[in-house]
Structures are given as structure tokens and as C-alpha cells.
């Protein structure tokens, strides 16, 4: 982005190229199971694009060293010819979030066309000089490639980006010698011959962290001397010629921004209050959506329509925030709408709306603003504030023409400073201050520090999952804060508390922040602390205790200039301070190893830093965004599996051995076992181990698309929602109830009857044992497992079939027939009794009926979030909306759920509708002939591309739904329809 003469312009040449490369990825492709070809959902899913940027710590960032190969190839000025003649028609583009609803999105191709059409206007002259300043004020070196293209070597990525932007806009540095720069420009347009000018570089005053600026003194071809300076806005404002007016306008912008932030805080607090009231009204503890009726009839499309709308609204609000509907203040001055509360289009691809690029008019630039210094200052500072809020690194450019005498006098002072052997840096700074003054404002630039793709979205969804994120980095404070804005760790309305030991008010700032957060007036709070301040805090126990009280309360913490040992000590302190907390550390470098090893869960990112972090971690991933599926999907699934495995094991043991305990009353408490000893010893090993194991491996209570679209479902584990004392008692109650049903039905219906051939101890024991084995397999693999597949059937067959095979083996081979009448019992006596089998069926049916009744009552009156969303997943439209909301993550790899995707169901419905369509058979013709005739007479539809019989719809009437190609559908084998 750049701002010149009060107007902001977007330089998006690289984004247009990336958009063209990603055009084939605008649709969400489903990876259908083997045997099916790929289908795709209708609708375009615009995903955010982020260049890979490496990290020294928790978040992947760019490496300080510059690699030319890592930067995408830029287009030269000649390649912009098409953009200048015909405006960009790309659907995908970057949109500046600081625009109001009535302001158009302007890019630099429009700027170049304006300059070309009105070369003598005041704005055109200022814009040309600003581009010239960008092309001259740097330390980059040009490098000609074999193919004739010019690339650059730079000491920082910002300088490289700025020089390349100037190159793409027609100011190409073709050569640089010790004291000169050769620039190739196109003053007559891209079709005319270029012009090469030689600019003499007299001096360069280097950038330093103290000065926060750099300057270059250049002699133009017309022999005029000009000093061009670029630096931080806080520094450059003081050096402007009209500094008093500039400071006044900057303060006005700050007041307006503060007012906007306070409104945003109130809006966020109001929304949180509304959500809390909805939760309380529904007696819910997590993600609140209108519950279905307690009668729980089938979820029809009409009944689910309001739920669909509410889900759409909720997913959209949680993903983007609350829209700010008043981007302009009451006095009519410009005020930026929130980029994070409203529809945040920064750093994201979306449709360019209201673009003036279809027709270039002369009213794009307000000439009255160009000549008004106060208005230019106000707009420029507002743009800089907006850029910085969006996480861009901003610079202000200033210039001043100096005469020969002034330069000669200053040159003597500067030479003495540069050749001094004592206190050289301080003397150079003082010499720079002499000439760096009374600048005219040229403009402002903002460079995007783009993270890996999907990092901001991943952080936002982790925040919605009630996970607090800290960023521990070795970067300096300003860089860390900019990264925090870029990845949305810091929001527009965040209250930032900076702890700096040099200010001497660390304890007071901590106490004030704690009071402010506890008062409820802060919507989102962030603490920024550096390594040196952290050392002072750790040295004072009182301040240390206050500090950890604060960091537990805030939403995010950014620790900059932190050493590896400080990162590890922070993780260790949180583990000790916050009881029952689970910490996760993620990093990609060797300096993150201590932090990764100290956390409960360590994750290493493989990248340019090497594999040290990945090798020492518990899990290794390639990009930060993959953390979403690892936590929200696989983490929740594993939690559910572990909990169900645990309670399932306790349940089956209680069910089995309680029948043994009930039998003791009728055995006179002599200790006689109801079960034969060999069978008793094999209960857990052979016959009931597989159901709990398969449940603990393959259970998926909700689809991956649902879990990614609604991250709030992850809080189930934080609340111990799947395993707690209440749930344990519920399972044990069911075990006791079912044990009594099994035993007393067995005893009453079989044990006491007189007309059966064998109802002895062994027969009653085998009946009870069989009922328990079948009930365990049915409950765990059918009723409790929501991800039913062929594995469930295999588990039931092996467990139940193995038990009856065991009985056949015992009946044939058993020799010790003293206590239990085992020999030939199952083969020739009770196994041939219809009463025995009938009682077994009655017992199992009674227990299953009890399970279903209890589950229905619990689902009707005490439904959990998982119960509701399982109901929603049964609706094709709702499932499709979940898939659309999670499209970015699902493109990383479609989960092989047993449930069919919405695309599968829609296509199968179309096929079934086609097959159910009545067909009029012509006399004397076979179906094959009629089908061939239909194919030969079909014409392609101009809208859908499908085959449409001339003048016929579904039932042969004009205007009906066009038919589909039967041969194509059968060949693709969608759903259960296969070619015969």
C-alpha cells in the first residue's frame, strides 16, 4: 500500500499473479472414497493467501536473511501495459479495510493511468516524485540475470519490496555504482522508448535503531540537490516543515481512533453479554443454538430453515466479527471501519466491489485535498494508522531541496563525523540532525509482512476454541507487535499493556491492567513484555506474582527479545501456576527446543530452520495452519475415544460381574460361580476386548467439517464433558439396571421352568454369558459408535461368533464334567432348546429397548452440543454449510469419514430422481434404442452445460428441470448406482 497526496493506492501486481495461479483452487474439491471420481460443491470459497514466513518461535515468520528465490517473480513495467490499458478483471484481490462503503478500491494501475492521462496535474507531479523517492532512497544493488531481467540484492525485505514496487511502476534501477544510480523510466508511456537518467548519490546517512530513519542526498540531472528521507512516522512527523500542523492532525487521528476503539469495545462486550444471556436462557454451557423441539420429530427441511439461518449468522459473526455500520464520524471526517469487527478484507482475497477500474474518471483524486496541507496530513496519518492496525510496516517519506552552499557546509561536518575515531556513531547522528529537517511530506508506504497461509484464520479459530495463545519470539518489540496485528493475535480494539523496565513503572502498569480487566471494561487484552523486563520481573517475587496473575487474565501475551531459556521458564511457570492446565508449545527452530520439551505437548514445524525442533517434539507438522486439524479434529476425537474406552470398560465389567454377584443369593453366598471357569477367564481377553478397542480407535462423534466450522465444540474436553463423575454414575446405573434385567429374566423365564431338557447351572451361565457378550458388542459397536463402518460389523462377528465357537469347542472337547455339565451340553441339550434361544432374544431385546429409551429421554431433555450437531449433520443443507465454513482446512485433505459428504448425497438424490422419472416406452423399440435416440437428440444447455432434450423437461414439458446424462452418471458410479 502507498499513500500520496491524501489518497491510498494498492499495489497488487503480485496478488494478481497469485490469483491467476490459484484460479483452479477456488472450488472445494472432495476426495471421494476409492471407486468414485472427484466431485465439487457449487460455490466459490475464497481463501486467504499468505507467503511462507519463518519463525524463531511460536509463529512461522520470515528469516532475516533475504533469499531472492523466496520472492515471487515480479512483472516489469512493460507487463503493466495491459493493466494500464484495460483494467484488472480478476475476481480475487486484496482490499484495503480502511475504505468506507462509498470509497472505491484503487490500485497502482489506476494511478499510472491517471498520471499518463493528466501528466501536468499537481497530483501527478507529486505522485511521480514519490515514486522517484522510492526508487532512490535505499541501499539495494541491481543484478542482471541471463535472460535480461533485473533482480535486486537487499539488506532487508522491506527495501526489496519497495524497490521492486518502483520497478513494476516504471522506475527501474538498471545500474548502481559507488556514487550514482541509473534509473530507466517511461515518461511517455509504456509503448514509448524508455529514458535512462543518471542520479549522483552524494551521501547516504544509514538507518539506525536510535534514528529510526535513513536519508540519501542526491544530485538530480538538472543539477539540483535534494535530500530524501524515510523513517518511522513518529520520527518523521517531528522533522516536517509544518511539524506543528502535522502533530495537531496526528493527535486528531489518534483521538478519532481511540473513540472508534471504545465503540468497538462496547460492541464486543454487548455481543458477549447477548451470547451469555442466550446460554443462560437455554441452560447451556457452550455453543448455543436454538434447540429442536422436545418431542424430537424428524428434522424436516422447513423445520430446520431457521436453524440454518441462525447457524449461518453465528458462523459468519464468529469468523469475522461484528460489523461496524458507522465508518464515518458524525462530523463527516474520515474514520476507518474495523478490520476485525467488520468484514475484514485485509490480507484476504475477496471480490473487489465498487471498483472504478472499469472506467477511469478525473474525479478519482480530489484536487482540493491535494492543495490543502492540513487535509493531506490528516488523510496520510489516517492511512498510516490503518496500515499499522492491519499489521503492515509503515514508512513516511520526506524531501527537501538544498542549495550548494548549505550542502558544502554540512559535508565538512559529516566527513569529520565519519572519520572520527571517538564516538563516531553519535557524531554521525548529530550531523544527520543538522540537515534532516523541514521536510515536505512526499507520501507513505506500507509493506505487508505476510505470514504462512492460514495463520490468522487458524489463530482466530483456536481463540474461539477457548485456547489462549502466547507468542514468544526473539524479534524486537515493534516487529513482534506488527506480527501480532498480522496474525490477529492483536485486534483493532485490543487493550495493549507494554511492560518496559526502562520506564520504571512495571508494577504500576501491571496493577492498572489487572484492575481494568477485572472491571469488565476491556474486550480483548494483550500484554507485551521483553526479555530484559522479564529478567527484572523474575528478580522481584512481588512483581513476579502480579505478573503471572496478569498473564493468566489477559487473552494473549507477546514476549519479545526472549532467550530460549526464558521461553522454557515461562511455559514451566504457567504449568505450575495454573493447575490442571495443558500447555502446548510450537516452534520451528533450534532455539525453540527447550520450550517444546517443557510443555505438555510439543509440536515442531519443519522448515528452513532445520529439523531440530521437529525431531525433539511430540508431533511434527509442515505448517502452522495444520494445527487446527490436529487439535480441533483429531484432538477431540482422541479425547472422545479415550473417554468412551474408559467408561465402556467399567460398564462391561460392572454388567458382567454384577450378574455373578446377584447369583450368590440363590447359591447361598457359597462362592459358587455362575460361569464355567475357563469361560470366566476368557471374558476380557477373547470376547469383549475387541468392542472397546474398536470404539477407542475408530469412534468419530462428529464430522471433521463440523468440528472445524464450529471450534466451540472443542471446549467439551476443557469442561470434562465426556468423562466426569456424573457420566460415570450414569454408565454404572445402566450397567446395574441391565445386569438385573439380564439375570432376573434369565432366572424367571428359563431357570425355573420345568419343561426344558436342561436348565442347570451351566445352561443358565451360558445364557447369561451370551446375553452379556452380545449386549456389549451391540451397545459399544452399534449404539455408542457413531462412525459405523465394516469394522463395526467385523468386531461384532468376531466377538459374538467367537463366543459361540468357544461353546462348540467346549461342548466337544471338555473332559472335567464334575461341577458344570459341559460335555455335549450346547450341542445336544440346551443348545437345541427353542426356549433357551427365545429367552436369549427376549433378554437382549429388553436391554436394547432400555438403552434406546434412556438415550431418547436424555436426548430430548438433556441434549448435549454433540447430540444437536449430529442432528444437524443429517440435513444435507446444514452439512453443506459446515463444509463451506471449513473449506480452507478441508482442502488440506478430506477426512475419510464413513458419512457421505453433502456432494455425495446431492448427486445420489439427482440420480435417484432420474431413475424414478416415468418413461414413456415407444412401441416396437427396446430401451436401449430409446436411450440411444435420447442421447443423439439432446442439446447442450447454454446455462448448466447438461444435456437437455429439445422442448422437454422432467416430464416432457417445456420449462421443467433439464435431464442429466444417464450414461455419464452410471459411468461415474455415484452413490449406490453402479454400471451393470
Amino acid at each position: 500500500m502507498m499513500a500520496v497526496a491524501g489518497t491510498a493506492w494498492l499495489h497488487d501486481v503480485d496478488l494478481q499473479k497469485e490469483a491467476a495461479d490459484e484460479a483452479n483452487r477456488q472450488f472445494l474439491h472432495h476426495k471421494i472414497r476409492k471407486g468414485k471420481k472427484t466431485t465439487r460443491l457449487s460455490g466459490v470459497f475464497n481463501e486467504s493467501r499468505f507467503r511462507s514466513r519463518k519463525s524463531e518461535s511460536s509463529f512461522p515468520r520470515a528469516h532475516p536473511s533475504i533469499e531472492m528465490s523466496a520472492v515471487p517473480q515480479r512483472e516489469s513495467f512493460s507487463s503493466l501495459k495491459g493493466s494500464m490499458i484495460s483494467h484488472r478483471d480478476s475476481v480475487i484481490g486484496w482490499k484495503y479495510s480502511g475504505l468506507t462503503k462509498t470509497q472505491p478500491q484503487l490500485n497502482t494501475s489506476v494511478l499510472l493511468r491517471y498520471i499518463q492521462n493528466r501528466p501536468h496535474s499537481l497530483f501527478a507531479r507529486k505522485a511521480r516524485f514519490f515514486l522517484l523517492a522510492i526508487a532512490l532512497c535505499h541501499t539495494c544493488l541491481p543484478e542482471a540475470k541471463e535472460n535480461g531481467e533485473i533482480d535486486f540484492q537487499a539488506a532487508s525485505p522491506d527495501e526489496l519490496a519497495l524497490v521492486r514496487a518502483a520497478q513494476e511502476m516504471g522506475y527501474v534501477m538498471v545500474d548502481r555504482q559507488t556514487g550514482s544510480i541509473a534509473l530507466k523510466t517511461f515518461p511517455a508511456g509504456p509503448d514509448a522508448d524508455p529514458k535512462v537518467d543518471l542520479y549522483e548519490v552524494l551521501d547516504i546517512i544509514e538507518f539506525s535503531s536510535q534514528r529510526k530513519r535513513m536519508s540519501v542526498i542526491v544530485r538530480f540531472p538538472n543539477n539540483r540537490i535534494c535530500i530524501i528521507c524515510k523513517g518511522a512516522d513518529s520520527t518523521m512527523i517531528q522533522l516536517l516543515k509544518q511539524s506543528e500542523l502535522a502533530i495537531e492532525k496526528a493527535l486528531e487521528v489518534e483521538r478519532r481512533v481511540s473513540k472508534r476503539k471504545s465503540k468497538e469495545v462496547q460492541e464486543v462486550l454487548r455481543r458477549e453479554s447477548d451470547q451469555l444471556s442466550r446460554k443462560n436462557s437455554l441452560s447451556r454451557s457452550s455453543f448455543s443454538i436454538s434447540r429442536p423441539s422436545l418431542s424430537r420429530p424428524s428434522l424436516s427441511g422447513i423445520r430446520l430453515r431457521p436453524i440454518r439461518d441462525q447457524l449461518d449468522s453465528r458462523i459468519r459473526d464468529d469468523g469475522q466479527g461484528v460489523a461496524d455500520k458507522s465508518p464515518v464520524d458524525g462530523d463527516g471526517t474520515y474514520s476507518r471501519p474495523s478490520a476485525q469487527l467488520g468484514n475484514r478484507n485485509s490480507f484476504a482475497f475477496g471480490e473487489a466491489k465498487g471498483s472504478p477500474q472499469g472506467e477511469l474518471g478525473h474525479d478519482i483524486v480530489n484536487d482540493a485535498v491535494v492543495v490543502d496541507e492540513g487535509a493531506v496530513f490528516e488523510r496520510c496519518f489516517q492511512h498510516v494508522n490503518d496500515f499499522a492496525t492491519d499489521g503492515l510496516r509503515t514508512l513516511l517519506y520526506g524531501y527537501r531541496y538544498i542549495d550548494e552552499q548549505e550542502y558544502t557546509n554540512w559535508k565538512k561536518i559529516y566527513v569529520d563525523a565519519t572519520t572520527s575515531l571517538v564516538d563516531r556513531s553519535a557524531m554521525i547522528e548529530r550531523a544527520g540532525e543538522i540537515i534532516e529537517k523541514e521536510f515536505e511530506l512526499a507520501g507513505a508506504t506500507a509493506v505487508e509482512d505476510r505470514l504462512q497461509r492460514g495463520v490468522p484464520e487458524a489463530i482466530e479459530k483456536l481463540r474461539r476454541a477457548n485456547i489462549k495463545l502466547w507468542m514468544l519470539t526473539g524479534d524486537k518489540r515493534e516487529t513482534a507487535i506488527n506480527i501480532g496485528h498480522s496474525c490477529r493475535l492483536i485486534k483493532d480494539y485490543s487493550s495493549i499493556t507494554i511492560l518496559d523496565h526502562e520506564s520504571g513503572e512495571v508494577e504500576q502498569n501491571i496493577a492498572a491492567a489487572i484492575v481494568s480487566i477485572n472491571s469488565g471494561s476491556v474486550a480483548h487484552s494483550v500484554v507485551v513484555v521483553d526479555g530484559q523486563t522479564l529478567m527484572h520481573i523474575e528478580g522481584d517475587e512481588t512483581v513476579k506474582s502480579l505478573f503471572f496473575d496478569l498473564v493468566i487474565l489477559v487473552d494473549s501475551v507477546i514476549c519479545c527479545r526472549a532467550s530460549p531459556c526464558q521461553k522454557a521458564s515461562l511455559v514451566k511457570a504457567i504449568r505450575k501456576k495454573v493447575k490442571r492446565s495443558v500447555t502446548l508449545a510450537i516452534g520451528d527452530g533450534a532455539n525453540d527446543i527447550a520450550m517444546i520439551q517443557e510443555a505438555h505437548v510439543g509440536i515442531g514445524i519443519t522448515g528452513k530452520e532445520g529439523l531440530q525442533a521437529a525431531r525433539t517434539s511430540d508431533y511434527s507438522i509442515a505448517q502452522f495452519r495444520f494445527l487446527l486439524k490436529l487439535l480441533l479434529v483429531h484432538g477431540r476425537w482422541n479425547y472422545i475415544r479415550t473417554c468412551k474406552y474408559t467408561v465402556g470398560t467399567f460398564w462391561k465389567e460392572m454388567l458382567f460381574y454384577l450378574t455373578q454377584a446377584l447369583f450368590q443369593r440363590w447359591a447361598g453366598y457359597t462362592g459358587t460361580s455362575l460361569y464355567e471357569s475357563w469361560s470366566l477367564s476368557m471374558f476380557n481377553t477373547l470376547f469383549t476386548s475387541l468392542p472397546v478397542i474398536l470404539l477407542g480407535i475408530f469412534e468419530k462423534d462428529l464430522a471433521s467439517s463440523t468440528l472445524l466450522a464450529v471450534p466451540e465444540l472443542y471446549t467439551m474436553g476443557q469442561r470434562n464433558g465426556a468423562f466426569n463423575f456424573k457420566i460415570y454414575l450414569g454408565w454404572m446405573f445402566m450397567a446395574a439396571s441391565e445386569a438385573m434385567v439380564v439375570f432376573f429374566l434369565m432366572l424367571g423365564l428359563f431357570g425355573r421352568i420345568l419343561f426344558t431338557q436342561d436348565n442347570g447351572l451351566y445352561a443358565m451361565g451360558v445364557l447369561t454369558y451370551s446375553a452379556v457378550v452380545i449386549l456389549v458388542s451391540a451397545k459399544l459397536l452399534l449404539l455408542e459408535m457413531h462412525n459405523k463402518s465394516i469394522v463395526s460389523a467385523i468386531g461384532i462377528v468376531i466377538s459374538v461368533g467367537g463366543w459361540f465357537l468357544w461353546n462348540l469347542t467346549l461342548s466337544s472337547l471338555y473332559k472335567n464334567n464334575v461341577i458344570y455339565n459341559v460335555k455335549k451340553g450346547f450341542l445336544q441339550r440346551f443348545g437345541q432348546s427353542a426356549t433357551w434361544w427365545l429367552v436369549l432374544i427376549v433378554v437382549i431385546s429388553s436391554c436394547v429397548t432400555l438403552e434406546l429409551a434412556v438415550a431418547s429421554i436424555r436426548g430430548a431433555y438433556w441434549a448435549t452440543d454433540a447430540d444437536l450437531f449430529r442432528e444437524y449433520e443429517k440435513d444435507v443443507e446444514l452439512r453443506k454449510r459446515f463444509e463451506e465454513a471449513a473449506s480452507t482446512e478441508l482442502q488440506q485433505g478430506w477426512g475419510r469419514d464413513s458419512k457421505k459428504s453433502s456432494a455425495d448425497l446431492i448427486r445420489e438424490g439427482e440420480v435417484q430422481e432420474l431413475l424414478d422419472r416415468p418413461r414413456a416406452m415407444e412401441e416396437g423399440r427396446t430401451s436401449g434404442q430409446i436411450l440411444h435416440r435420447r442421447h443423439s437428440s439432446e442439446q447442450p444447455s447454454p446455462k448448466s452445460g447438461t444435456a437437455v432434450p429439445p422442448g422437454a423437461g422432467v416430464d416432457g414439458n417445456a420449462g421443467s428441470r433439464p435431464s442429466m446424462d444417464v450414461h455419464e452418471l452410471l459411468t461415474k458410479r455415484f452413490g449406490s448406482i453402479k454400471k451393470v
Side-chain angles (χ1 to χ4, degrees), residues 288-556:
S288 301
I289 295 180
S290 299
R291 281 186 51 184
S293 172
L294 295 181
S295 58
R296 301 185 71 80
S298 60
L299 293 176
S300 62
I302 298 177
R303 180 168 164 264
L304 280 178
R305 187 172 301 153
I307 298 179
R308 293 172 189 161
D309 298 338
Q310 192 172 0
L311 275 172
D312 277 344
S313 177
R314 184 59 188 267
I315 292 174
R316 182 172 57 252
D317 289 346
D318 286 335
Q320 298 178 345
V322 183
D324 187 357
K325 300 181 179 179
S326 56
V328 181
D329 287 344
D331 56 358
T333 56
Y334 170 79
S335 178
R336 173 186 181 274
S338 171
Q340 290 163 347
L341 281 177
N343 296 329
R344 182 185 179 92
N345 295 315
S346 295
F347 308 103
F349 286 100
E351 294 187 7
K353 299 179 180 179
S355 175
Q357 300 172 36
E359 181 180 353
L360 183 65
H362 299 303
D363 57 347
I364 292 179
V365 177
N366 191 344
D367 294 332
V369 174
V370 176
V371 298
D372 187 351
E373 287 290 337
V376 170
F377 284 160
E378 182 177 3
R379 289 200 174 193
C380 182
F381 299 154
Q382 181 69 62
H383 291 147
V384 170
N385 185 279
D386 298 341
F387 299 156
T389 303
D390 281 341
L392 308 183
R393 291 199 294 269
T394 59
L395 290 173
L396 279 184
Y397 280 76
Y399 70 96
R400 179 170 69 93
Y401 287 102
I402 57 179
D403 54 33
E404 195 76 33
Q405 183 64 36
E406 181 183 359
Y407 172 71
T408 303
N409 297 334
W410 175 84
K411 181 67 174 178
K412 296 178 182 179
I413 301 174
Y414 185 68
V415 170
D416 293 340
T418 54
T419 56
S420 175
L421 300 179
V422 180
D423 203 12
R424 180 185 302 174
S425 59
M427 293 180 65
I428 292 176
E429 290 182 7
R430 287 194 293 269
E433 292 174 356
I434 296 175
I435 200 169
E436 293 173 335
K437 60 182 181 180
E438 297 185 351
F439 288 128
E440 299 287 342
L441 180 62
T445 61
V447 179
E448 180 185 3
D449 188 7
R450 295 202 290 175
L451 306 173
Q452 286 184 355
R453 184 176 62 184
V455 171
E457 291 79 6
I459 290 178
E460 179 63 22
K461 288 195 173 183
L462 292 175
R463 182 196 64 80
R464 289 171 55 189
N466 198 28
I467 298 175
K468 290 189 176 182
L469 293 98
W470 291 22
M471 183 172 71
L472 312 179
T473 177
D475 289 333
K476 62 181 182 179
R477 181 186 299 158
E478 291 78 7
T479 304
I481 293 176
N482 283 335
I483 296 172
H485 281 290
S486 299
C487 66
R488 302 185 197 174
L489 202 62
I490 302 176
K491 299 182 177 297
D492 294 352
Y493 51 86
S494 296
S495 174
I496 304 176
T497 302
I498 298 178
L499 304 180
D500 189 355
H501 70 283
E502 295 181 355
S503 65
E505 300 178 352
V506 176
E507 187 174 359
Q508 293 84 346
N509 291 337
I510 294 175
I514 292 175
V515 172
S516 179
I517 295 173
N518 289 331
S519 65
S521 59
V522 176
H524 188 271
S525 54
V526 179
V527 168
V528 181
V529 60
D530 60 90
Q532 291 293 329
T533 304
L534 197 59
M535 290 179 58
H536 286 77
I537 291 174
E538 292 175 347
D540 190 331
E541 289 298 327
T542 303
V543 180
K544 182 179 179 180
S545 177
L546 279 175
F547 173 74
F548 283 107
D549 290 339
L550 173 63
V551 297
I552 292 172
L553 291 175
V554 298
D555 296 282
S556 299

Side-chain angles (χ1 to χ4, degrees), residues 18 52 59 189 191 237 298 427 429 642 684 716 724-725 772 818 881 910 962:
E18 290 178 5
S52 297
F59 300 102
D191 296 327
I237 289 176
S298 60
M427 293 180 65
E429 290 182 7
T642 303
N684 287 313
M716 182 179 188
N724 50 49
F725 194 65
V772 171
V818 177
R881 297 185 189 190
E910 293 174 348

Side-chain angles (χ1 to χ4, degrees), residues 511-806:
I514 292 175
V515 172
S516 179
I517 295 173
N518 289 331
S519 65
S521 59
V522 176
H524 188 271
S525 54
V526 179
V527 168
V528 181
V529 60
D530 60 90
Q532 291 293 329
T533 304
L534 197 59
M535 290 179 58
H536 286 77
I537 291 174
E538 292 175 347
D540 190 331
E541 289 298 327
T542 303
V543 180
K544 182 179 179 180
S545 177
L546 279 175
F547 173 74
F548 283 107
D549 290 339
L550 173 63
V551 297
I552 292 172
L553 291 175
V554 298
D555 296 282
S556 299
V557 175
I558 296 177
C559 184
C560 53
R561 295 298 188 191
S563 62
C565 62
Q566 285 180 325
K567 297 178 184 179
S569 63
L570 279 175
V571 175
K572 184 177 181 180
I574 291 299
R575 291 185 60 173
K576 291 182 177 180
K577 184 74 174 180
V578 183
K579 302 301 180 183
R580 303 176 62 184
S581 64
V582 179
T583 58
L584 181 148
I586 178 171
D588 65 345
N591 54 356
D592 300 320
I593 293 177
M595 173 183 67
I596 290 173
Q597 292 179 337
E598 189 63 43
H600 290 95
V601 180
I603 298 178
I605 299 178
T606 58
K608 296 180 182 179
E609 290 281 353
L611 300 176
Q612 296 95 328
R615 288 171 178 168
T616 58
S617 61
D618 301 310
Y619 301 93
S620 177
I621 58 179
Q623 295 186 31
F624 181 84
R625 62 192 174 106
F626 298 159
L627 186 63
L628 275 183
K629 293 187 74 174
L630 183 63
L631 289 181
L632 302 185
V633 179
H634 298 290
R636 190 183 189 279
W637 281 346
N638 286 336
Y639 170 72
I640 295 296
R641 292 163 184 167
T642 303
C643 294
K644 286 198 172 183
Y645 175 86
T646 304
V647 294
T649 301
F650 281 109
W651 169 81
K652 72 182 184 69
E653 301 301 327
M654 175 70 77
L655 172 63
F656 181 70
Y657 289 106
L658 192 56
T659 57
Q660 181 87 292
L662 292 173
F663 173 71
Q664 293 306 307
R665 178 182 178 185
W666 279 263
Y669 298 99
T670 59
T672 302
S673 175
L674 178 62
Y675 308 116
E676 189 269 332
S677 57
W678 281 100
S679 301
L680 181 63
S681 63
M682 296 298 167
F683 175 77
N684 287 313
T685 305
L686 297 181
F687 309 128
T688 59
S689 59
L690 198 57
V692 290
I693 292 175
L694 294 180
L695 181 67
I697 294 176
F698 297 104
E699 166 65 349
K700 298 177 181 179
D701 63 330
L702 292 170
S704 57
S705 58
T706 305
L707 297 176
L708 290 170
V710 190
E712 290 84 355
L713 292 169
Y714 182 78
T715 59
M716 182 179 188
Q718 301 169 359
R719 297 179 285 105
N720 297 324
F723 185 75
N724 50 49
F725 194 65
K726 181 180 178 181
I727 291 178
Y728 174 79
L729 289 180
W731 279 73
M732 293 306 102
F733 170 78
M734 293 302 299
S737 303
E738 290 163 355
M740 289 188 287
V741 170
V742 170
F743 179 78
F744 288 112
L745 283 179
M746 178 277 300
L747 185 63
L749 298 180
F750 181 77
R752 294 180 177 178
I753 61 174
L754 303 175
F755 51 84
T756 186
Q757 184 178 358
D758 182 7
N759 62 346
L761 179 61
Y762 180 67
M764 292 191 298
V766 173
L767 177 59
T768 307
Y769 201 118
S770 301
V772 171
V773 169
I774 296 173
L775 184 59
V776 168
S777 298
K779 177 180 173 64
L780 298 183
L781 295 181
L782 292 179
L783 300 181
E784 290 296 329
M785 180 176 283
H786 302 93
N787 186 45
K788 298 178 182 65
S789 63
I790 189 64
V791 176
S792 303
I794 292 174
I796 294 175
V797 170
I798 292 177
S799 298
V800 178
W803 161 243
F804 285 106
L805 181 62
W806 172 268

Side-chain angles (χ1 to χ4, degrees), residues 179-332:
S180 65
I181 292 178
L183 284 184
K184 180 172 66 174
T185 59
F186 300 82
D191 296 327
D193 294 333
K195 177 183 177 184
V196 179
D197 294 319
L198 189 65
Y199 295 83
E200 182 182 357
V201 180
L202 301 178
D203 289 290
I204 296 178
I205 308 176
E206 296 287 349
F207 174 87
S208 69
S209 57
Q210 295 293 331
R211 287 165 31 84
K212 296 183 179 181
R213 63 185 182 274
M214 74 157 290
S215 299
V216 57
I217 303 176
V218 182
R219 187 186 297 275
F220 286 178
N222 58 8
N223 211 33
R224 296 187 66 182
I225 300 176
C226 180
I227 176 173
I228 304 172
C229 181
K230 67 178 180 182
D233 57 318
S234 58
T235 301
M236 293 297 297
I237 289 176
Q238 307 290 336
L239 303 178
L240 294 178
K241 183 177 182 180
Q242 300 186 32
S243 58
E244 295 182 359
L245 177 61
I247 294 174
E248 179 184 352
K249 294 300 180 181
L251 292 177
E252 288 182 8
V253 171
E254 288 297 329
R255 284 193 296 268
R256 191 157 56 243
V257 169
S258 177
K259 182 180 179 180
R260 173 180 56 81
K261 288 184 177 181
S262 64
K263 292 181 179 179
E264 292 173 355
V265 169
Q266 295 174 4
E267 178 65 19
V268 172
L269 293 176
R270 184 196 62 78
R271 187 181 68 170
E272 292 178 352
S273 177
D274 292 344
Q275 293 177 0
L276 183 60
S277 62
R278 287 200 302 267
K279 294 176 184 179
N280 294 335
S281 63
L282 294 174
S283 299
R284 300 298 302 252
S285 57
S286 63
F287 185 78
S288 301
I289 295 180
S290 299
R291 281 186 51 184
S293 172
L294 295 181
S295 58
R296 301 185 71 80
S298 60
L299 293 176
S300 62
I302 298 177
R303 180 168 164 264
L304 280 178
R305 187 172 301 153
I307 298 179
R308 293 172 189 161
D309 298 338
Q310 192 172 0
L311 275 172
D312 277 344
S313 177
R314 184 59 188 267
I315 292 174
R316 182 172 57 252
D317 289 346
D318 286 335
Q320 298 178 345
V322 183
D324 187 357
K325 300 181 179 179
S326 56
V328 181
D329 287 344
D331 56 358

Side-chain angles (χ1 to χ4, degrees), residues 881-928:
R881 297 185 189 190
F882 289 142
E883 292 168 359
E884 291 173 354
S887 60
T888 304
E889 293 79 16
L890 292 178
Q891 285 180 354
Q892 301 167 11
W894 184 258
R896 293 182 175 271
D897 299 335
S898 62
K899 296 180 179 178
K900 298 178 181 178
S901 67
S902 59
D904 289 338
L905 298 177
I906 293 173
R907 183 57 63 94
E908 287 186 8
E910 293 174 348
V911 174
Q912 190 63 40
E913 179 184 351
L914 182 65
L915 296 178
D916 294 340
R917 182 187 307 163
R919 292 175 173 80
M921 302 296 293
E922 298 183 14
E923 296 183 2
R925 293 185 180 269
T926 63
S927 60

